[in-house]
Amino acid sequence: QVHLVESGGGLVQAGGSLRLSCVASGRTFSTNNMAWFRQAPGKDREFVAAIRWTGPNTYYADSVKGRFTISRDSTKNTVYLQMDSLKPEDTAVYYCAADRETLRIGIVTKLNEYDFWGQGTQVTVSS
């Protein structure tokens, strides 16, 4: 059975940093693009960042560009999201996801392009 498990969330003050991890088990995702999404209370789930299966090509939502960094260690089947200069509006549940296609050339940002999802980790940024 395939599992994606996120960790690293928590409560942090504005301007602080957190590093999220997503560990995959049950299969390898070394040929899948991986992404992070987030969902704030009362809002739709939105794209945050993605990384190509070959690395290091990455893509970010405008709202996090320059503050967040996505990376991956395929030997550990793990994806990371380094979040710096956090703002209260970054408060959300953060989910990692795997592209439903393997060996995809481009990066996609739509939810329905991702098949496997973790359970999420809560990030709360206080002002």
Side-chain angles (χ1 to χ4, degrees), residues 19-125:
R19 189 191 194 206
L20 306 184
S21 299
C22 171
V23 180
S25 62
R27 57 160 282 188
T28 178
F29 287 100
S30 61
T31 55
N32 294 77
N33 297 341
M34 300 293 292
W36 287 93
F37 288 78
R38 68 186 181 186
Q39 188 166 17
K43 295 188 176 181
D44 294 334
R45 192 170 300 189
E46 65 176 3
F47 171 82
V48 174
I51 185 167
R52 276 193 69 199
W53 60 277
T54 56
N57 298 60
T58 56
Y59 186 78
Y60 299 92
D62 288 342
S63 58
V64 307
K65 201 172 294 182
R67 300 187 298 120
F68 290 11
T69 303
I70 187 171
S71 61
R72 67 189 297 166
D73 184 341
S74 293
T75 64
K76 297 181 179 179
N77 230 10
T78 301
V79 180
Y80 305 97
L81 185 68
Q82 177 67 40
M83 305 187 295
D84 298 318
S85 302
L86 282 161
K87 304 176 182 180
E89 51 263 44
D90 294 319
T91 294
V93 178
Y94 283 72
Y95 301 88
C96 72
D99 193 325
R100 61 181 174 83
E101 290 189 12
T102 58
L103 307 175
R104 193 194 295 262
I105 301 236
I107 286 178
V108 292
T109 63
K110 294 183 178 180
L111 271 71
N112 61 8
E113 297 287 357
Y114 291 84
D115 257 354
F116 299 98
W117 293 85
Q119 84 291 345
T121 185
Q122 175 71 47
V123 171
T124 303
V125 185

